[in-house]
Amino acid sequence: MNGAPGQPPTPGLAGLLLLADSRLPAGGHAHSGGAEEACRVGAISGPEDLARFLRGRLATAGRVAAALAWSACAGAGESTGAAESAWRLLDAEADARIASPAQRLASRTQGRLLVRTAKRIWPSPALATLAREVPDGAHHPIALGVAAQAAGCTPEQAAMAAAYTSVTGAATAAVRLLGLDPVTVHRVLADLPYDSVIAEQHDWSALPAHAAPALDLLAEQHLRTEVRLFVS
Amino acid sequence: MTKALVRARAILRTGLDDRGRTRIETMRSDPPITLRQTGPGEVHLVSTGAGPLGGDRLRLDVEVAEGTSLTVRSIASTLVLPGTGASLMEIHVYVASGGSLVFAPEPTVLAAGCDHRMTTAVTLAPDASLFWREEIVFGRHGERPGRCHSRFDATAGGRPLLRQELVVGDPDSDGSPAVFGTARCVGSTLITTECKEAEVAEGVAVLPLAGPGTLVSALAADAVELRNRLSWGESRVSV
């Protein structure tokens, strides 16, 4: 090896791995992203359905999450950090893209836990400002973007973490609920087109807003289902 | 195909008459978008010509003045057909303070091979009210639809209220249990009436938004079932 010692091959990579790891103690494992309800109603019954579910989830909710995480990471990284009211504006942009109150609640719950965890792992002024400005819990992709910046990631890496975590929770949930072969499901995860939902973002009002009407219905039905293993 | 590509821009504006009632101030048709007044404060969209066809670029501007009320409907559904390149339907709406708009045309039907883009930008002043229904049917009976990408943006009092994009004819989302499932139609109604609790029934949800409004969102096997589901949801939003 003749690389300079201590020079990482890609800056931010360690932060990305830690943030995308399901073992990050931020409560992500409690959410199935609609997969539990989809399994219950029979919309997912095997690996093929699951693959279609995850592709659709990535192309819609995943694309929106990636764009929000990109914007949040870039905003946190600006020399002065995003202005205080800017966080509330980006949060309102996320709100306008999540029509289902059940999904807004799940997103904020996960965002609040992630900010609380990330503040202790990677203390940063932007995380402190976000926690203060959006005390009920920022939406998860925004929390993820700001945490990613604190962990040394680029906006692109933040978007990748958001795209990836938009499908992994649902995939793991389906393995547990349907007893699917975990290797088959990981093959499905490996085949997903993550790069296709990641793009540079500038204008917050023009961020992608891909809706998934079935996910909205599943999220609301799930809240009304008595026996639930997952929060969402 | 030798048909010339169509560029059209129709304009519809309301104002108050001297007795304080709504009158249609401007009604500029531009074929194939033809506007017909059918009642006080009510206008129907009449399609005079096929399509939109691929390559057509159509635009409708609607302005609802302060304290006026406007209802826009259509005579028939819109059949989007293939042609030379993509077709575009652009709608720009402004509703002033105290103004009220009901926009509820018949569904947009995506024929095989179409490549359609719809963009709607709605700007609501504070205290403006809106009822906006949009229905998309994936092909005529037994037909596989072409492509459609719609984007709907509504702001209220300068704050984003609802932003939604739908993509039909994309292999990643078609047939996905996360997006449209097995449905052949998708529709939604945005109403600027706040309701306290979400409700859900077969294929339809009543969703209180974070901002001042409610979205009724439905999926269905056909246009009749879709309208029934949306109507049920709309009736749950107390006026």
Side-chain angles (χ1 to χ4, degrees):
Chain A
M1 293 290 285
N2 50 14
Q7 191 72 35
T10 306
L13 204 50
L16 171 61
L17 290 171
L18 285 161
L19 275 169
D21 192 328
S22 65
R23 287 163 294 193
L24 181 77
H29 63 277
H31 296 265
S32 82
E36 179 171 32
E37 189 63 19
C39 290
R40 193 185 69 82
V41 301
I44 301 177
S45 59
E48 292 80 21
D49 299 331
L50 178 63
R52 282 192 291 272
F53 181 89
L54 297 178
R55 274 183 182 270
R57 197 171 206 293
L58 179 66
T60 54
R63 187 186 307 272
V64 174
L68 288 166
W70 179 298
S71 305
C73 183
E78 282 162 16
S79 55
T80 51
E84 305 215 335
S85 64
W87 291 123
R88 287 202 292 268
L89 179 60
L90 187 57
D91 197 65
E93 289 291 349
D95 262 345
R97 286 165 173 77
I98 313 174
S100 146
Q103 292 199 74
R104 287 198 299 275
L105 180 64
S107 171
R108 287 196 187 281
T109 304
Q110 292 179 81
R112 185 173 56 242
L113 285 170
L114 177 57
V115 168
R116 192 183 299 165
T117 300
K119 270 166 65 185
R120 292 174 56 197
I121 308 174
W122 301 284
S124 88
L127 275 168
T129 309
L130 181 65
R132 195 172 57 243
E133 283 297 297
V134 194
D136 294 342
H139 280 293
H140 182 256
I142 298 174
L144 187 55
V146 176
Q149 190 272 335
C153 297
T154 62
E156 196 169 17
Q157 289 170 332
M160 178 57 87
Y164 176 77
T165 53
S166 77
V167 288
T168 47
T172 311
V175 169
R176 289 170 62 188
L177 292 162
L178 299 175
L180 300 179
D181 171 23
V183 179
T184 305
V185 172
H186 254 72
R187 167 68 197 264
V188 169
L189 284 175
D191 283 343
L192 291 178
Y194 302 97
D195 290 340
S196 71
V197 302
I198 296 169
E200 195 170 332
Q201 306 295 342
H202 297 286
D203 176 4
W204 288 354
S205 65
L207 294 179
H210 292 65
L215 283 182
D216 292 346
L217 290 171
L218 291 167
E220 296 299 332
Q221 279 161 18
H222 186 257
L223 270 190
R224 289 155 185 79
T225 300
E226 279 188 21
V227 183
R228 288 176 290 154
L229 202 57
F230 294 88
V231 179
S232 75
Chain B
M1 220 179 270
T2 53
K3 179 187 171 289
L5 305 181
V6 173
R7 298 280 179 279
R9 183 172 177 188
I11 298 174
L12 184 54
R13 279 198 201 97
T14 62
L16 282 176
D17 69 13
D18 46 18
R19 297 169 65 182
R21 292 172 310 195
T22 300
R23 67 187 178 98
I24 307 299
E25 186 108 359
T26 311
M27 196 171 72
R28 198 181 87 184
S29 297
D30 192 359
I33 308 175
T34 302
L35 306 168
R36 292 262 186 277
Q37 186 164 359
T38 45
E42 180 165 308
V43 169
H44 273 71
L45 296 164
V46 185
S47 184
T48 46
L53 277 73
D56 291 356
R57 302 177 78 84
L58 313 181
R59 174 172 172 156
L60 172 65
D61 290 6
V62 180
E63 229 181 277
V64 180
E66 212 173 310
T68 65
S69 300
L70 176 67
T71 297
V72 180
R73 299 186 190 280
S74 71
I75 300 292
S77 55
T78 300
L79 180 64
V80 184
L81 294 163
T84 316
S87 51
L88 172 69
M89 178 74 211
E90 220 182 309
I91 306 179
H92 296 258
V93 176
Y94 175 72
V95 185
S97 183
S100 165
L101 173 65
V102 173
F103 192 92
E106 294 306 303
T108 296
V109 181
L110 307 173
C114 75
D115 182 4
H116 192 47
R117 178 85 212 208
M118 290 194 273
T119 63
T120 304
V122 177
T123 306
L124 301 171
D127 302 323
S129 87
L130 179 75
F131 176 104
W132 188 281
R133 189 197 287 139
E134 204 164 83
E135 296 163 310
I136 301 175
V137 178
F138 306 166
R140 289 166 289 192
H141 186 73
E143 182 181 39
R144 277 180 65 88
R147 262 188 76 83
C148 175
H149 182 171
S150 76
R151 178 162 177 133
F152 180 90
D153 285 276
T155 62
R159 305 265 299 170
L161 176 62
L162 180 69
R163 301 196 195 277
Q164 284 207 316
E165 287 177 78
L166 290 174
V167 180
V168 180
D170 173 65
D172 282 334
S173 46
D174 281 7
S176 170
V179 186
F180 303 125
T182 54
R184 304 267 308 143
C185 311
V186 59
S188 64
T189 309
L190 172 62
I191 308 170
T192 50
T193 300
E194 293 181 62
C195 76
K196 280 181 221 76
E197 266 184 83
E199 285 194 74
V200 63
E202 184 71 33
V204 54
V206 178
L207 306 167
L209 299 174
T214 303
L215 185 74
V216 178
S217 175
L219 292 168
D222 59 55
V224 174
E225 186 177 67
L226 182 70
R227 180 65 64 86
N228 287 340
R229 288 178 174 178
L230 288 175
S231 300
W232 174 83
E234 291 157 8
S235 74
R236 308 300 293 174
V237 185
S238 53
V239 180

